[in-house]
């Protein structure tokens, strides 16, 4: 089966926006609809959730509460989706798991096009209003600046699709080519595309490097992800110090960047523990007006053998989010002047 609707959060948002844009937030449902949604949810969890044992536990809970009549009094679609999400979360504790309701019909999985691989394909799929908004945006590259003559500052609010952001990443890295150190600010970064994460990390290594593996439940296939050999911008290399700022709103793909750079001993992480969502997900249709976003792939670091799901990325230097930039700038200046304690390689 083709892997349609595989979740890259930015692309999922645009796809779903095109399908159900303008939908009012509520809608009446009956008992037959409730049963249909719960049956479909159980089936999709058992077939696709990354931990089969957890899927079975979620099924047991949902069936128990169904027998107890917990859902019988729910006649609002949004309320049912919220309750099902909360019940499942109490079992699986997975940040990306979600059940949602749309007053407009949810398209079938078969009718959804595969995720676009090029800008041209993407422009054909998204609604005109979304296309116009994205074209006018900075695509998540919020600030390319200097904090001092020899210290660069890169603020990223999201990792957009690689075919949209590769040029901006290249121009940003060109701007830092003559700096002695770099601070990357990922506070309040909601995530995005894994390919963009791999592209940016590629600028901070000197040779081809294995980053992460992903295991997919439905196919039992593990895929390796490596850095890119050819870059459009100037490679920063593996020696100059890189510091990354994080907070509790550093999520998903942004966490992948932080976790991988930290595991590679290529950066010092400063701030607070990140959100804690590592499992890639995709939406599954549960009925005419319901869908569930179910994590179906698990990220596995070849260095740590695990990921950051449920724990977040723990900073090397703890700091309140509002203070993290000042702490990072002071630490980096002292390192460059040789007065700070030496860190691990590349820090």
């Amino acid at each position: 089966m083709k892997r349609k609707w595989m979740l890259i959060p930015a692309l999922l948002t645009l796809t779903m926006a095109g399908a159900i844009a303008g939908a009012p937030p509520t809608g009446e449902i009956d008992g037959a609809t409730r049963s249909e949604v719960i049956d479909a949810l159980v089936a999709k969890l058992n077939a696709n959730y990354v931990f089969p044992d957890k899927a079975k536990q979620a099924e047991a809970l949902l069936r128990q509460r169904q027998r107890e009549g917990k859902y019988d009094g729910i006649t609002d679609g949004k309320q049912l989706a919220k309750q099902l999400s909360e019940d499942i979360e109490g079992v699986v504790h997975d940040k990306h798991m979600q059940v949602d309701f749309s007053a407009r019909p949810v398209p079938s999985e078969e009718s959804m096009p595969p995720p676009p691989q090029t800008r041209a394909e993407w422009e054909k799929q998204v609604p005109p209003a979304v296309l116009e908004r994205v074209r006018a945006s900075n695509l998540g590259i919020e600030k390319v600046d200097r904090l001092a003559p020899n210290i660069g500052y890169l603020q990223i609010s999201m990792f957009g699709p690689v075919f949209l952001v590769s040029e901006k990443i290249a121009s940003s890295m060109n701007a830092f080519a003559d700096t002695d150190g770099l601070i990357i600010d990922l506070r309040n970064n909601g995530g995005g595309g894994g390919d963009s994460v791999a592209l940016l990390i590629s600028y901070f290594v000197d040779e081809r490097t294995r980053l992460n593996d992903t295991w997919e439940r439905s196919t039992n296939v593990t895929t390796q992800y490596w850095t890119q050999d050819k870059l459009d911008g100037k490679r920063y290399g593996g020696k100059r110090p890189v510091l990354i700022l994080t907070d509790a709103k550093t999520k998903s793909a942004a966490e992948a960047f932080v976790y991988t750079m930290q595991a590679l001993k290529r950066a010092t992480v400063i701030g607070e523990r990140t959100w804690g969502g590592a499992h890639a997900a995709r939406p599954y249709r549960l009925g005419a007006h319901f869908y569930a976003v179910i994590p179906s792939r698990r990220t596995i670091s070849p260095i740590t053998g695990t990921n950051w799901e449920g724990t977040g990325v723990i900073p090397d230097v703890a700091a309140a989010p509002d203070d993290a930039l000042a702490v990072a700038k002071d630490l980096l200046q002292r390192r460059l002047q040789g007065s700070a304690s030496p860190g691990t390689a590349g820090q």
Side-chain angles (χ1 to χ4, degrees), residues 77-219:
K78 275 287 184 183
Q79 185 181 351
L80 178 62
K82 182 175 183 292
Q83 187 62 61
L84 291 173
S85 293
E86 291 176 354
D87 289 347
I88 296 172
E89 171 61 19
V91 174
V92 303
H93 307 293
D94 196 306
K95 295 287 191 177
H96 284 111
M97 181 78 76
Q98 180 184 358
V99 181
D100 210 345
F101 170 83
S102 164
R104 289 192 176 186
V106 176
S108 67
E109 295 172 32
E110 291 72 21
S111 69
M112 294 298 295
Q117 302 300 312
T118 66
R119 187 183 187 107
E121 290 178 2
W122 174 78
E123 290 181 349
K124 290 180 180 179
Q125 291 185 18
V126 298
V130 174
L131 179 60
E132 195 66 28
R133 188 164 66 248
V134 172
R135 282 175 172 170
S137 76
N138 51 23
L139 297 171
I141 308 298
E142 301 294 338
K143 189 173 291 187
V144 179
D145 203 356
R146 298 285 183 106
L147 301 181
N150 62 338
I151 296 178
Y153 174 75
L154 176 62
Q155 183 184 25
I156 306 175
S157 62
M158 65 168 284
F159 285 90
V162 70
F163 51 79
L164 293 181
V165 302
S166 59
E167 290 184 6
K168 279 190 170 290
I169 290 176
S171 63
S172 299
M173 296 311 300
N174 286 341
F176 300 130
D178 63 343
T179 60
D180 296 328
L182 178 63
I183 296 173
I184 302 176
D185 192 346
L186 298 186
R187 292 173 297 178
N188 203 35
N189 184 310
D195 288 344
S196 297
V197 169
L199 173 62
L200 185 57
I201 294 176
S202 300
Y203 281 91
F204 300 108
V205 297
D206 295 318
E207 58 187 13
R208 189 168 186 262
T209 302
R210 183 177 166 191
L211 301 177
N212 284 306
D213 301 343
T214 61
W215 174 78
E216 187 172 347
R217 162 80 189 281
S218 62
T219 62

Side-chain angles (χ1 to χ4, degrees), residues 271-314:
E272 65 178 359
R273 187 189 299 254
T274 63
W275 183 57
H279 298 148
R282 55 157 287 185
Y284 295 87
R285 186 178 186 270
L286 303 179
H289 296 276
F290 289 84
Y291 65 94
V293 177
I294 299 176
S296 56
R297 292 187 297 169
R298 186 166 69 246
T299 299
I300 307 165
S301 167
I303 298 172
T304 68
T306 184
N307 59 43
W308 61 95
E309 181 66 42
T311 63
V313 183
I314 301 171

